[in-house]
Amino acid sequence: MLKKIHHVGVVVPDLERALALWQGVLGMHLTKRATILDQGVKAALLKVGESEIELLEPLSPDNGVGKFLARRGGGLHHVCFATEDVERELAGARAKGIQLIDQKPRPGLAGMICFLHPKATRGVLVEYAQPFED
Amino acid sequence: MLKKIHHVGVVVPDLERALALWQGVLGMHLTKRATILDQGVKAALLKVGESEIELLEPLSPDNGVGKFLARRGGGLHHVCFATEDVERELAGARAKGIQLIDQKPRPGLAGMICFLHPKATRGVLVEYAQPFED
């Protein structure tokens, strides 16, 4: 069962300028920053209620986020739902014939994560995340 | 101050098929359906935590949602943040030089709403909503 919107991923061309907008103008609170080399992104998380906005700047034009930026100029990229059991969600999606990007959960910024294939969800990139225990 | 993600708007070509996916496969709960003639959409709201997914099927190819569908084939369309005072948020955004779509709040499915201009937010369509009192 999906518990909440964990975060909404937003691709940006420049993380510093994006932070100036989302923090400075829209008034959100920065909770975490990280450079994730194996995903090829610089990321920042901004808290709003029980959810976060995840700003993503690609480190390379060749990865998925870089290609999205080149194609769209940035914008809403994916929505991530929190679950207590990402393995079970993935197995459930697979049993329902949903096409997957990740065949098994992997560690990400939000916890153990997996992505469904946007072809399966009509153009919406959906991520499931089981947050790490604090 | 923004309280939470009120909803994430998703444009779909066919609301019934989209509901089969988001309810039947992803397991979300339908809370409301409405045809909003003055916005030219059929809409459905699905609850997840304190937020909702808002599915939008355009009634015409000529309105904003219809043009988005034609251009992108559907997908993530906007993010809406809940606020206690949409007038104040709008005045604050205006004072910070943010370009607006709505110069004053208007009634929408989520309450009294307004949209910032995606040019101001680098391609992310942002809505503010002050929910109606129950």
Side-chain angles (χ1 to χ4, degrees):
Chain A
M1 204 191 107
L2 304 181
K3 308 274 288 177
K4 63 174 184 176
I5 294 179
H6 186 282
H7 66 266
V8 176
V10 174
V11 173
V12 301
D14 181 319
L15 192 60
E16 297 311 318
R17 290 182 65 175
L19 278 172
L21 173 71
W22 289 85
Q23 274 190 291
V25 179
L26 302 181
M28 291 190 189
H29 298 285
L30 181 67
T31 51
K32 195 173 183 179
R33 294 187 63 151
T35 296
I36 313 169
L37 289 176
D38 66 347
Q39 290 177 37
V41 293
K42 281 200 290 185
L45 293 170
L46 297 146
K47 191 164 180 57
V48 56
E50 68 184 13
S51 305
E52 290 173 316
I53 296 292
E54 182 186 71
L55 302 175
L56 297 166
E57 179 192 330
L59 296 171
S60 151
D62 300 325
N63 60 34
V65 171
K67 286 175 186 166
F68 182 90
L69 180 63
R71 196 168 65 241
R72 296 269 181 91
L76 294 171
H77 181 257
H78 68 273
V79 58
C80 176
F81 298 106
T83 170
E84 284 172 348
D85 190 339
V86 70
E87 285 272 13
R88 195 170 55 194
E89 294 295 343
L90 197 60
R94 189 184 288 114
K96 286 167 184 159
I98 291 283
Q99 201 175 340
L100 308 172
I101 289 180
D102 297 300
Q103 298 304 318
K104 58 179 191 173
R106 58 185 168 86
L109 193 60
M112 288 303 289
I113 64 164
C114 66
F115 281 91
L116 308 183
H117 199 289
K119 277 187 191 163
T121 45
R122 304 197 142 246
V124 180
L125 183 56
V126 171
E127 178 182 6
Y128 290 150
Q130 180 179 343
F132 297 124
E133 309 279 330
D134 282 328
Chain B
M1 207 191 104
L2 304 180
K3 307 275 288 177
K4 63 174 184 175
I5 294 178
H6 186 280
H7 66 266
V8 175
V10 174
V11 173
V12 302
D14 181 319
L15 192 60
E16 297 312 319
R17 290 182 65 174
L19 278 172
L21 173 71
W22 289 85
Q23 275 190 290
V25 179
L26 301 181
M28 290 189 192
H29 299 285
L30 181 67
T31 50
K32 195 173 183 178
R33 294 187 64 151
T35 296
I36 313 169
L37 289 176
D38 67 345
Q39 291 176 37
V41 293
K42 280 199 292 186
L45 293 170
L46 297 144
K47 192 162 179 57
V48 55
E50 68 184 12
S51 305
E52 290 173 317
I53 297 293
E54 182 185 70
L55 302 176
L56 297 167
E57 178 192 331
L59 296 172
S60 151
D62 300 324
N63 60 33
V65 170
K67 286 176 185 166
F68 182 90
L69 179 63
R71 197 168 64 242
R72 297 268 181 91
L76 294 171
H77 180 257
H78 68 272
V79 58
C80 176
F81 299 105
T83 170
E84 284 172 346
D85 189 339
V86 69
E87 285 272 13
R88 196 171 54 195
E89 294 295 343
L90 196 60
R94 189 185 287 115
K96 287 167 182 159
I98 290 283
Q99 202 176 337
L100 308 172
I101 288 179
D102 297 300
Q103 297 304 317
K104 58 178 190 175
R106 58 186 168 87
L109 193 60
M112 288 303 289
I113 64 164
C114 66
F115 281 91
L116 309 183
H117 200 289
K119 277 188 190 161
T121 45
R122 303 198 145 246
V124 180
L125 183 56
V126 172
E127 178 182 5
Y128 290 150
Q130 179 179 344
F132 297 124
E133 310 278 330
D134 284 329

